[in-house]
Amino acid sequence: MKIAIIVPAFNEEKNILAVLKEINNLDFDKKIIVVDDGSLDDTFNVVKKNFENVIILRHSINLGKGAALKTGCIVAMQLGSDLIATIDADNQHPPNILPKIVDLLTRDNLDVVIGARDANESMPLVSRLGNIFLSRATNYLFGTNISDTQSGLKVFKTSVYDKINWSANDYFVETEMVANIGKNKLKYGELKIDTVYNDVYKGTTFFDGIKIFFKIIKQKLK
Amino acid sequence: MIMGLQIIGIVFGILMAYFTFLNFKKKEFEKTQFIFWEILWICFIFITLFPNIISEFSKNLGFIRVMDFLTIIGFIFIAFLSFYNYSSINIINKKIEKIVREEAITKSLKK
């Protein structure tokens, strides 16, 4: 099975090398697609210089995570990938868990598998509380049972991309994907993953969480 | 006798007519846009100078004072402008996204 691993990146020159090194070592028929979402640092050049086999695209301005993922998915489908994996560039998710996620997806014939982060003490308190609240709200409104709806680590079949497709350009993309999984009754599973928080000020903030909550309500009314 | 509020209104109207003229001179407005806005500002100044012109009209709509009527019209106009701006920004954002994505994919394929 051909897998495209999409890594959306914004100002990740410090972390992206480690992430790509690990992904590169995975034993898959894979294409690694990095989407530099208008980084202001040297993310693009760092990837270009160190990884010839990585497909790197660059948005000339920052559009948001959702937009970067969509660009990556379009390229992944052009390359004829059977599976699409999304993973954050900040080294929060361990790339070496990807084989287990793919195994779970193929073994149980699932459409999507989510790498669910453990909401323990290693997760900053605000993130933990926000995550629990948003996950419960999403599950309640869309009939899913996913412990971490905000996780950026997902693997899904390319054939379900149209059903999982999102319009959000920002961090709401993760929730919108879960909402679409619920609405379209896709078969999903989850696998617990370890998480490392390198920079507690990056990623979704408290205010992003508030925006996401109102967008969840708006999504339900669509 | 002209009230203070009328003076403010007249100065505002004159300034806006001037800015409209400048936009036209800088070729940021077309002729029709320029004429439309200038007529609007002239009407604004005229009504500010002679509010009694619309007092009968505003009374028929249930407003005791012309000022109340103009205030409500102002709020309606702002609400409309807000919605129009929101719509326009939405459309522009989608166009920007499309262009940026196409550019990124095209550049990547060229390599």
Side-chain angles (χ1 to χ4, degrees):
Chain A
M1 268 198 155
K2 286 189 282 188
I3 179 165
I5 302 170
I6 299 169
V7 188
F10 178 65
N11 292 348
E12 292 291 355
E13 62 178 3
K14 290 197 175 91
N15 295 312
I16 199 161
L17 275 184
V19 174
L20 292 179
K21 266 191 192 124
E22 273 211 62
I23 296 175
N24 223 11
N25 290 335
L26 296 174
D27 190 17
F28 280 137
D29 177 8
K30 64 185 180 292
K31 289 276 184 221
I32 306 171
I33 302 169
V34 173
V35 182
D36 172 9
D37 189 24
S39 293
L40 302 170
D41 64 5
D42 217 21
T43 301
F44 181 82
N45 289 325
V46 158
V47 173
K48 208 159 177 255
K49 251 187 262 177
N50 290 281
F51 296 94
E52 276 182 14
N53 61 323
V54 166
I55 298 166
I56 173 139
L57 300 106
R58 183 198 239 164
H59 285 165
S60 49
I61 58 171
N62 176 247
L63 293 178
K65 187 180 182 185
L69 283 176
K70 192 171 271 191
T71 301
C73 285
I74 289 170
V75 173
M77 289 189 295
Q78 283 177 355
L79 293 170
S81 307
D82 303 301
L83 299 178
I84 293 174
T86 67
I87 185 166
D88 291 347
D90 57 3
N91 213 4
Q92 197 187 92
H93 314 124
N96 56 20
I97 201 82
L98 277 170
K100 287 190 184 163
I101 292 181
V102 172
D103 275 342
L104 175 61
L105 188 141
T106 45
R107 190 187 70 219
D108 292 358
N109 195 24
L110 300 170
D111 296 315
V112 190
V113 175
I114 295 155
R117 296 162 299 176
D118 213 348
N120 57 29
E121 289 82 32
S122 66
M123 196 186 264
L125 178 65
V126 171
S127 299
R128 210 183 324 153
L129 294 172
N131 204 342
I132 291 170
F133 174 70
L134 291 174
S135 295
R136 287 202 182 159
T138 309
N139 287 330
Y140 174 72
L141 289 171
F142 298 101
T144 48
N145 186 17
I146 294 166
S147 64
D148 183 8
T149 59
Q150 307 305 305
S151 173
L153 181 58
K154 291 182 178 73
V155 179
F156 55 91
K157 291 179 180 167
T158 311
S159 55
V160 303
Y161 172 74
D162 285 336
K163 290 189 179 162
I164 218 175
N165 197 3
W166 54 92
S167 56
N169 279 355
D170 55 10
Y171 285 117
F172 183 64
V173 58
E174 312 295 1
T175 308
E176 194 177 347
M177 285 167 88
V178 171
N180 289 336
I181 288 168
K183 275 191 204 172
N184 293 304
K185 306 220 183 305
L186 297 177
K187 289 185 287 182
Y188 63 89
E190 67 175 40
L191 197 70
K192 286 284 176 203
I193 59 169
D194 296 322
T195 326
V196 174
Y197 289 88
N198 293 309
D199 187 341
V200 298
Y201 296 106
K202 280 192 118 189
T204 45
T205 62
F206 173 72
F207 295 107
D208 287 322
I210 294 175
K211 274 201 286 185
I212 289 170
F213 175 69
F214 283 110
K215 285 185 179 187
I216 290 172
I217 310 291
K218 186 179 146 194
Q219 186 74 11
K220 180 66 184 172
L221 296 170
K222 270 191 187 172
Chain B
M1 189 190 143
I2 296 179
M3 285 168 49
L5 198 55
Q6 284 177 293
I7 293 171
I8 293 170
I10 291 163
V11 168
F12 174 74
I14 291 170
L15 273 173
M16 293 313 296
Y18 174 64
F19 289 141
T20 303
F21 174 72
L22 283 179
N23 270 320
F24 174 66
K25 275 295 182 194
K26 283 191 235 170
K27 299 190 197 308
E28 277 156 24
F29 271 1
E30 288 174 8
K31 204 175 184 179
T32 38
Q33 288 171 306
F34 167 67
I35 291 169
F36 170 77
W37 282 104
E38 287 294 4
I39 290 173
L40 201 78
W41 297 125
I42 290 167
C43 290
F44 179 86
I45 294 166
F46 203 67
I47 290 169
T48 309
L49 266 172
F50 308 110
N52 293 328
I53 291 169
I54 54 168
S55 63
E56 213 37 59
F57 177 70
S58 65
K59 273 188 187 129
N60 287 337
L61 288 175
F63 292 94
I64 296 171
R65 300 183 309 169
V66 170
M67 191 63 207
D68 295 339
F69 169 68
L70 291 174
T71 305
I72 296 296
I73 293 293
F75 275 124
I76 290 172
F77 186 63
I78 287 169
F80 163 74
L81 264 185
S82 296
F83 175 75
Y84 181 78
N85 287 340
Y86 171 80
S87 259
S88 299
I89 288 169
N90 234 16
I91 291 168
I92 289 167
N93 276 347
K94 287 197 171 109
K95 287 181 180 172
I96 289 173
E97 188 193 337
K98 188 168 181 269
I99 291 169
V100 170
R101 176 168 294 127
E102 279 173 5
E103 184 199 18
I105 292 175
T106 307
K107 273 190 179 158
S108 167
L109 290 174
K110 266 190 185 157
K111 289 171 207 156

